Amino acid sequence: MRILHTSDWHIGRTFHGNSTMDALAEVLEALTEQVRENAVDVVIVAGDVFDSATPAGAAYTLLGDTLVALHETGARVIVTSGNHDSAARLGFQARLLRDGIHVLTDPRAIGTPVTLTDADGPVQFYGIPYLEPAIVRQHWNGVELRTQAQTLAHAMDLVRAGMAEHPGRSVAIAHCFSAGVDATIGLEREVRQGGLDVVPLSVFDGPDYVALGHIHGRQQISERVRYSGAPLHYSFGEQSKPRGSWMVDLDAAGLASVTWLDLPVPRRLVTLTGALDEILSAENVAAHADDWVCAVYTDSLAQTEPMRRLRERYPHCAMVMHQPAETDRVIERSYADRLRGAVTDPERIEAFLEHVRSGHGPTEREGELIREVLDDRVRADALI
């Protein structure tokens, strides 16, 4: 049996205020074509189908169109919910879906597999939706479920109990933060902030393959436990990480092979670092005018309207940051001390600028402007 493992579609997510719907539709169309070309039997979507618990109508349309397209390739589709999804909203139409599309969002059904067969016999698919302890502990009286890690451990116990009752090869699907993963800084929610506890690798013992979601970068925790990552880049922190999915082959004995399939990147992401004039150079513009750009300019002083200037050359500049190349000067005197030592108005302004600009006082031109303004003020006062 051939399985395609994907996850974290995040339909409806924006990228620095820009819609990703068209780009994601393009990528999911390419994924569907890969399913057709590689004669995939089962497509797994391991959670975070939507980016929000209350997705817009267009998000439902894209999901529906993609599920139908995948089904038309002849593949079965198994979808579980992630921490971004509303299990109720994602699963409300599960009974109405056509045969061969399974949306698994009910924690009470974790131990009951979706059974699919091939020439070597049955394969049992166990879908574990994202489990919030405070919500799901009502279903399992007498079990201590204080953390999401404890809850997932209990869910895997249910999976193993199901495996004992249903012979054959097995695949588990979950959405969690496994020990040993390398999270993308600034993207995946921190464990303690997002409620996702680290789950020990041993929790996943048993199934022939474990398809995980939540981490947006491709990760191999073990030969049989993997993250596929998201199909689209959602952060500049991901720009060097490939986009794609795992193609998993099971033979009569269990896991036979796992192959990575790359997906296209509709628009590349690039971070340009240097002085603002360097970033705006003709050479850089020629190479990156069509990319999503994060500009990190290192000029000593903040530049005037940097985003406007950047977007004149880079229409898809999404982010600009000022990170001076010089380390902050050692401030030997406090702002109060500087003010006490300042006698004239220009000295007071200089003290203020040094305070707010990490020790950098006014430039020569700024000094001239300060003196002009102060002189104008003196002349105006003399006329009163």
Short mmCIF file of all heavy atoms in Angstrom, two decimals, residues 25-60:
data_model
loop_
_atom_site.label_atom_id
_atom_site.label_comp_id
_atom_site.label_asym_id
_atom_site.label_seq_id
_atom_site.Cartn_x
_atom_site.Cartn_y
_atom_site.Cartn_z
N ALA A 25 -3.63 26.88 -3.18
CA ALA A 25 -4.41 26.14 -4.18
C ALA A 25 -3.50 25.58 -5.26
O ALA A 25 -3.65 24.43 -5.70
CB ALA A 25 -5.47 27.06 -4.79
N GLU A 26 -2.51 26.38 -5.68
CA GLU A 26 -1.54 25.92 -6.68
C GLU A 26 -0.74 24.74 -6.17
O GLU A 26 -0.52 23.75 -6.90
CB GLU A 26 -0.62 27.08 -7.05
CG GLU A 26 0.46 26.73 -8.05
CD GLU A 26 1.40 27.89 -8.33
OE1 GLU A 26 1.01 29.06 -8.08
OE2 GLU A 26 2.54 27.64 -8.79
N VAL A 27 -0.29 24.81 -4.92
CA VAL A 27 0.52 23.74 -4.35
C VAL A 27 -0.31 22.47 -4.16
O VAL A 27 0.16 21.36 -4.44
CB VAL A 27 1.15 24.20 -3.02
CG1 VAL A 27 1.83 23.04 -2.33
CG2 VAL A 27 2.16 25.31 -3.27
N LEU A 28 -1.53 22.61 -3.66
CA LEU A 28 -2.38 21.43 -3.45
C LEU A 28 -2.77 20.78 -4.78
O LEU A 28 -2.96 19.57 -4.84
CB LEU A 28 -3.62 21.82 -2.65
CG LEU A 28 -3.35 22.24 -1.20
CD1 LEU A 28 -4.65 22.62 -0.50
CD2 LEU A 28 -2.63 21.13 -0.42
N GLU A 29 -2.87 21.58 -5.82
CA GLU A 29 -3.11 21.01 -7.15
C GLU A 29 -1.92 20.17 -7.59
O GLU A 29 -2.08 19.08 -8.14
CB GLU A 29 -3.38 22.13 -8.15
CG GLU A 29 -3.72 21.63 -9.55
CD GLU A 29 -4.05 22.76 -10.51
OE1 GLU A 29 -4.22 23.91 -10.05
OE2 GLU A 29 -4.12 22.49 -11.73
N ALA A 30 -0.70 20.67 -7.30
CA ALA A 30 0.50 19.90 -7.63
C ALA A 30 0.57 18.62 -6.79
O ALA A 30 0.97 17.56 -7.29
CB ALA A 30 1.75 20.76 -7.39
N LEU A 31 0.18 18.72 -5.52
CA LEU A 31 0.16 17.53 -4.66
C LEU A 31 -0.81 16.49 -5.21
O LEU A 31 -0.51 15.29 -5.22
CB LEU A 31 -0.21 17.94 -3.23
CG LEU A 31 -0.22 16.84 -2.16
CD1 LEU A 31 0.23 17.41 -0.81
CD2 LEU A 31 -1.61 16.23 -2.00
N THR A 32 -1.96 16.93 -5.65
CA THR A 32 -2.95 16.02 -6.22
C THR A 32 -2.38 15.32 -7.45
O THR A 32 -2.60 14.10 -7.65
CB THR A 32 -4.23 16.78 -6.59
OG1 THR A 32 -4.75 17.40 -5.41
CG2 THR A 32 -5.28 15.84 -7.17
N GLU A 33 -1.66 16.06 -8.27
CA GLU A 33 -1.05 15.46 -9.46
C GLU A 33 0.00 14.43 -9.07
O GLU A 33 0.14 13.38 -9.72
CB GLU A 33 -0.43 16.54 -10.33
CG GLU A 33 0.04 16.04 -11.69
CD GLU A 33 -1.06 15.38 -12.51
OE1 GLU A 33 -2.24 15.79 -12.38
OE2 GLU A 33 -0.74 14.43 -13.26
N GLN A 34 0.74 14.68 -8.00
CA GLN A 34 1.71 13.69 -7.51
C GLN A 34 1.01 12.41 -7.06
O GLN A 34 1.52 11.31 -7.28
CB GLN A 34 2.52 14.28 -6.35
CG GLN A 34 3.52 15.35 -6.75
CD GLN A 34 4.27 15.91 -5.56
OE1 GLN A 34 3.86 15.75 -4.41
NE2 GLN A 34 5.38 16.59 -5.82
N VAL A 35 -0.13 12.57 -6.41
CA VAL A 35 -0.91 11.40 -5.98
C VAL A 35 -1.30 10.57 -7.19
O VAL A 35 -1.20 9.33 -7.18
CB VAL A 35 -2.16 11.86 -5.19
CG1 VAL A 35 -3.11 10.69 -4.97
CG2 VAL A 35 -1.75 12.48 -3.87
N ARG A 36 -1.72 11.24 -8.27
CA ARG A 36 -2.12 10.53 -9.48
C ARG A 36 -0.92 9.86 -10.15
O ARG A 36 -0.98 8.67 -10.51
CB ARG A 36 -2.80 11.50 -10.45
CG ARG A 36 -3.27 10.86 -11.76
CD ARG A 36 -3.94 11.86 -12.67
NE ARG A 36 -5.25 12.26 -12.12
CZ ARG A 36 -5.50 13.42 -11.55
NH1 ARG A 36 -4.53 14.33 -11.44
NH2 ARG A 36 -6.69 13.71 -11.10
N GLU A 37 0.16 10.62 -10.31
CA GLU A 37 1.33 10.09 -11.03
C GLU A 37 1.98 8.93 -10.30
O GLU A 37 2.53 8.02 -10.95
CB GLU A 37 2.35 11.21 -11.21
CG GLU A 37 1.93 12.30 -12.18
CD GLU A 37 2.94 13.43 -12.26
OE1 GLU A 37 3.89 13.42 -11.44
OE2 GLU A 37 2.79 14.29 -13.13
N ASN A 38 1.93 8.93 -8.96
CA ASN A 38 2.60 7.88 -8.18
C ASN A 38 1.65 6.79 -7.72
O ASN A 38 2.04 5.93 -6.92
CB ASN A 38 3.28 8.51 -6.96
CG ASN A 38 4.47 9.37 -7.33
OD1 ASN A 38 5.54 8.87 -7.62
ND2 ASN A 38 4.28 10.69 -7.33
N ALA A 39 0.42 6.79 -8.22
CA ALA A 39 -0.57 5.76 -7.89
C ALA A 39 -0.69 5.58 -6.38
O ALA A 39 -0.63 4.45 -5.86
CB ALA A 39 -0.21 4.44 -8.57
N VAL A 40 -0.85 6.70 -5.67
CA VAL A 40 -0.98 6.66 -4.22
C VAL A 40 -2.34 6.08 -3.84
O VAL A 40 -3.37 6.43 -4.44
CB VAL A 40 -0.82 8.08 -3.63
CG1 VAL A 40 -1.19 8.11 -2.15
CG2 VAL A 40 0.61 8.56 -3.85
N ASP A 41 -2.35 5.20 -2.85
CA ASP A 41 -3.60 4.56 -2.41
C ASP A 41 -4.32 5.36 -1.34
O ASP A 41 -5.55 5.40 -1.30
CB ASP A 41 -3.29 3.15 -1.86
CG ASP A 41 -2.66 2.26 -2.90
OD1 ASP A 41 -3.31 2.02 -3.93
OD2 ASP A 41 -1.52 1.82 -2.68
N VAL A 42 -3.55 6.00 -0.43
CA VAL A 42 -4.14 6.71 0.71
C VAL A 42 -3.40 8.02 0.93
O VAL A 42 -2.17 8.05 0.95
CB VAL A 42 -4.06 5.87 2.01
CG1 VAL A 42 -4.79 6.58 3.14
CG2 VAL A 42 -4.62 4.48 1.79
N VAL A 43 -4.15 9.11 1.09
CA VAL A 43 -3.57 10.40 1.44
C VAL A 43 -3.94 10.72 2.88
O VAL A 43 -5.12 10.70 3.25
CB VAL A 43 -4.08 11.53 0.52
CG1 VAL A 43 -3.52 12.89 0.98
CG2 VAL A 43 -3.69 11.26 -0.92
N ILE A 44 -2.93 11.00 3.71
CA ILE A 44 -3.13 11.35 5.12
C ILE A 44 -2.87 12.84 5.29
O ILE A 44 -1.83 13.35 4.85
CB ILE A 44 -2.16 10.56 6.03
CG1 ILE A 44 -2.57 9.09 6.09
CG2 ILE A 44 -2.12 11.16 7.43
CD1 ILE A 44 -1.55 8.22 6.83
N VAL A 45 -3.81 13.54 5.93
CA VAL A 45 -3.61 14.95 6.29
C VAL A 45 -3.62 15.01 7.81
O VAL A 45 -4.67 14.89 8.45
CB VAL A 45 -4.72 15.85 5.71
CG1 VAL A 45 -4.37 17.33 5.98
CG2 VAL A 45 -4.90 15.62 4.22
N ALA A 46 -2.44 15.21 8.41
CA ALA A 46 -2.28 15.07 9.86
C ALA A 46 -2.49 16.40 10.60
O ALA A 46 -1.60 16.94 11.24
CB ALA A 46 -0.90 14.50 10.19
N GLY A 47 -3.69 16.94 10.51
CA GLY A 47 -4.08 18.07 11.34
C GLY A 47 -3.72 19.44 10.82
O GLY A 47 -2.95 19.61 9.87
N ASP A 48 -4.33 20.47 11.46
CA ASP A 48 -4.22 21.87 11.05
C ASP A 48 -4.58 22.03 9.58
O ASP A 48 -3.83 22.62 8.78
CB ASP A 48 -2.84 22.45 11.36
CG ASP A 48 -2.70 22.87 12.82
OD1 ASP A 48 -3.70 22.77 13.56
OD2 ASP A 48 -1.61 23.29 13.22
N VAL A 49 -5.73 21.51 9.25
CA VAL A 49 -6.26 21.68 7.90
C VAL A 49 -6.54 23.16 7.65
O VAL A 49 -6.18 23.73 6.63
CB VAL A 49 -7.54 20.85 7.71
CG1 VAL A 49 -8.11 21.04 6.32
CG2 VAL A 49 -7.25 19.38 7.98
N PHE A 50 -7.23 23.78 8.62
CA PHE A 50 -7.50 25.21 8.58
C PHE A 50 -6.52 25.93 9.50
O PHE A 50 -5.93 25.34 10.39
CB PHE A 50 -8.93 25.51 9.03
CG PHE A 50 -10.00 24.97 8.12
CD1 PHE A 50 -10.97 24.10 8.61
CD2 PHE A 50 -10.04 25.32 6.78
CE1 PHE A 50 -11.97 23.60 7.77
CE2 PHE A 50 -11.03 24.83 5.94
CZ PHE A 50 -11.99 23.96 6.44
N ASP A 51 -6.41 27.24 9.31
CA ASP A 51 -5.56 28.05 10.18
C ASP A 51 -6.34 28.60 11.36
O ASP A 51 -5.75 29.07 12.33
CB ASP A 51 -4.93 29.21 9.40
CG ASP A 51 -3.88 29.93 10.22
OD1 ASP A 51 -2.90 29.28 10.62
OD2 ASP A 51 -4.06 31.14 10.48
N SER A 52 -7.66 28.53 11.29
CA SER A 52 -8.50 29.13 12.31
C SER A 52 -9.64 28.18 12.65
O SER A 52 -10.08 27.38 11.82
CB SER A 52 -9.07 30.46 11.81
OG SER A 52 -10.11 30.93 12.63
N ALA A 53 -10.13 28.31 13.90
CA ALA A 53 -11.29 27.53 14.30
C ALA A 53 -12.56 28.03 13.62
O ALA A 53 -13.57 27.32 13.59
CB ALA A 53 -11.47 27.60 15.82
N THR A 54 -12.51 29.24 13.06
CA THR A 54 -13.67 29.80 12.35
C THR A 54 -13.23 30.24 10.96
O THR A 54 -13.15 31.44 10.66
CB THR A 54 -14.26 30.99 13.12
OG1 THR A 54 -13.22 31.97 13.34
CG2 THR A 54 -14.81 30.54 14.46
N PRO A 55 -12.95 29.30 10.07
CA PRO A 55 -12.44 29.66 8.74
C PRO A 55 -13.50 30.35 7.89
O PRO A 55 -14.71 30.15 8.08
CB PRO A 55 -12.05 28.31 8.14
CG PRO A 55 -12.87 27.31 8.88
CD PRO A 55 -13.04 27.85 10.26
N ALA A 56 -13.04 31.16 6.95
CA ALA A 56 -13.93 31.84 6.03
C ALA A 56 -14.48 30.86 4.99
O ALA A 56 -13.95 29.75 4.83
CB ALA A 56 -13.19 32.98 5.33
N GLY A 57 -15.51 31.29 4.30
CA GLY A 57 -16.14 30.41 3.33
C GLY A 57 -15.19 29.94 2.25
O GLY A 57 -15.26 28.78 1.81
N ALA A 58 -14.28 30.81 1.81
CA ALA A 58 -13.33 30.43 0.76
C ALA A 58 -12.43 29.28 1.20
O ALA A 58 -11.98 28.47 0.38
CB ALA A 58 -12.49 31.64 0.35
N ALA A 59 -12.15 29.19 2.50
CA ALA A 59 -11.31 28.10 3.02
C ALA A 59 -12.03 26.76 2.89
O ALA A 59 -11.43 25.75 2.51
CB ALA A 59 -10.95 28.37 4.48
N TYR A 60 -13.33 26.74 3.18
CA TYR A 60 -14.11 25.52 3.01
C TYR A 60 -14.15 25.12 1.54
O TYR A 60 -14.09 23.93 1.19
CB TYR A 60 -15.53 25.71 3.53
CG TYR A 60 -15.66 25.66 5.03
CD1 TYR A 60 -15.83 26.81 5.78
CD2 TYR A 60 -15.62 24.44 5.71
CE1 TYR A 60 -15.95 26.77 7.16
CE2 TYR A 60 -15.74 24.38 7.09
CZ TYR A 60 -15.91 25.55 7.82
OH TYR A 60 -16.02 25.50 9.17
#
